[in-house]
Amino acid sequence: MIDQAPVIAIDGPSGAGKGTVSQLVAEKLGWHLLDSGALYRLLALAVSHHGMTADDVESLRVLAEHLDIQFEQGDEGKVDIVLEGEIVTQAIRTELVGNSASKLAQIPEVRDGLLMRQRAFSQEPGLVADGRDMGTVVFPDAPVKVFLTATAEERASRRLLQLQQKGDEVDYDELVATIKERDDRDANRAVAPLVPAAGALVVDSTDLTIDKVVEMVLAEVKKAGIV
Ligand SMILES: Nc1ncnc2c1ncn2[C@@H]1O[C@H](COP(=O)(O)OP(=O)(O)OP(=O)(O)O)[C@@H](O)[C@H]1O
Ligand SMILES: Nc1ccn([C@@H]2O[C@H](COP(=O)(O)O)[C@@H](O)[C@H]2O)c(=O)n1
């Protein structure tokens, strides 16, 4: 497969900081950004809205291929995520939707249905792609691959803070359990499991600041000679 533009693939488990780091790296380079998890979350929400079931895999493939999604410029430089005409930027961020997304993500037809849509994000001057299989399946020729991780406890603490800032009431122990359950499902599924891609730089961010992780990714980009 030939990538249309250089790709920085950033994979890792939930809450490792992929989204935050990918956004900052994309801003610094002036590159495009793909939050592939958002696509799985949007599909999960659409499946629920349409009252579909996980066993009708061919209908899921069709829905994944044709899902009506828009990323629109909102207020203060923020991007609004629009699903079938409705702004769902916040609605897709719940733990419930994340869990439903991770269940659907086990289905090969769902992954197939989203594959070309993800690859279409690879445009000049380059793409920073965040997910679980960016470096292994979606962009196997990416010149830079990073596997970003952190302990489940640290990731739960970060998520707790994030949810508390939004005014959500959540229990820390429940969050740790949910995160471990999702890690387990993502890492042990039969298709595109969450594993570091061959040659990926593995970064454990448990004791690292966001700025330090961004610096490490940019050093890897420089080493690869793509900017
Ligand atoms: N190195 C870090 N130190 C402290 N907090 C961090 C670090 N990296 C990310 N965070 C914070 O952790 C939270 C989760 O980060 P983020 O949403 O980027 O993770 P993610 O890997 O994209 O998760 P998901 O896959 O579930 O979308 C955010 O509030 C972010 O600000
Ligand atoms: N490339 C990807 C991205 C995501 N998933 C699945 O979606 C779930 C939600 O992803 P977030 O990054 O938004 O938390 C995630 O748990 C995965 O199961 C995927 O399989 N592949």
Side-chain angles (χ1 to χ4, degrees), residues 13-20 41 132 158-159 162 208-210:
S14 176
K18 305 177 302 294
T20 310
R41 287 170 182 264
R132 303 293 187 289
R158 292 175 187 174
R159 189 66 82 209
Q162 202 178 25
L208 299 178
T209 63
I210 293 171

Side-chain angles (χ1 to χ4, degrees), residues 36-37 40-41 101-102 105 111 131-134 182 186 189:
S36 63
Y40 286 88
R41 287 170 182 264
S102 129
R111 306 200 73 85
R132 303 293 187 289
D133 61 344
M134 297 297 98
R182 187 129 70 92
D186 288 348
R189 65 185 171 217

Side-chain angles (χ1 to χ4, degrees), residues 12-22 35 37 41 93 95 130-132 148 154-155 157-159 161-163 165 182 205-211 213:
S14 176
K18 305 177 302 294
T20 310
V21 168
S22 297
D35 172 3
R41 287 170 182 264
R93 293 295 159 200
E95 289 303 301
D130 130 39
R132 303 293 187 289
L148 184 57
E154 170 64 19
R155 289 183 280 129
S157 299
R158 292 175 187 174
R159 189 66 82 209
L161 195 66
Q162 202 178 25
L163 293 169
Q165 282 166 351
R182 187 129 70 92
S205 75
T206 308
D207 297 314
L208 299 178
T209 63
I210 293 171
D211 284 350
V213 178

Side-chain angles (χ1 to χ4, degrees), residues 160-180:
L160 185 73
L161 195 66
Q162 202 178 25
L163 293 169
Q164 283 171 341
Q165 282 166 351
K166 283 200 302 178
D168 291 354
E169 278 294 312
V170 270
D171 178 72
Y172 172 77
D173 292 332
E174 244 178 65
L175 264 183
V176 175
T178 313
I179 279 179
K180 285 185 173 169

Side-chain angles (χ1 to χ4, degrees), residues 198-221:
L201 172 75
V202 178
V203 177
D204 184 336
S205 75
T206 308
D207 297 314
L208 299 178
T209 63
I210 293 171
D211 284 350
K212 181 66 193 170
V213 178
V214 170
E215 189 189 310
M216 290 169 81
V217 174
L218 290 173
E220 197 69 2
V221 171

